[in-house]
């Protein structure tokens, strides 16, 4: 079974110039790790995680930002639960 996460548009403000490709790579790697270690029961429905997303820590690191985003998404998926 695969998981499809669609991000229509992601606008990050307050992070200065940051490499979006590196953020995406780090996000994907960290979210895969989190879902492997802490699986989430998926119900096949759409979940909007934008409303309750926690603030992200200030960073200039694309890797750190991608990891923080992945953790926020994973927490939202756990909270949405079946």
């Amino acid at each position: 079974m695969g998981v499809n996460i669609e991000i229509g548009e992601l606008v990050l403000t307050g992070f200065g110039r940051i490499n979006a490709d590196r953020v995406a790579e780090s996000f994907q790697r960290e979210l895969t790790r989190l879902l492997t270690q802490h699986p989430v029961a998926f119900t096949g429905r759409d979940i909007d995680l934008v409303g309750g997303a926690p603030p992200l820590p200030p960073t200039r690191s694309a890797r750190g930002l991608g990891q923080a985003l992945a953790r926020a998404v994973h927490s939202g998926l756990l909270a949405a639960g079946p």
Side-chain angles (χ1 to χ4, degrees), residues 27-82:
F27 172 82
Q28 183 177 2
R29 190 171 34 256
E30 179 68 3
L31 188 57
T32 298
R33 184 189 72 77
L34 290 168
L35 289 171
T36 300
Q37 291 182 352
H38 308 283
V40 175
F42 292 99
T43 61
R45 62 185 167 87
D46 289 343
I47 302 170
D48 182 2
L49 302 174
V50 174
L56 297 172
T59 183
R60 291 183 182 253
S61 161
R63 180 177 176 237
L65 182 55
Q67 290 172 337
L69 285 167
R71 290 177 188 137
V73 167
H74 186 257
S75 292
L77 290 171
L78 287 173

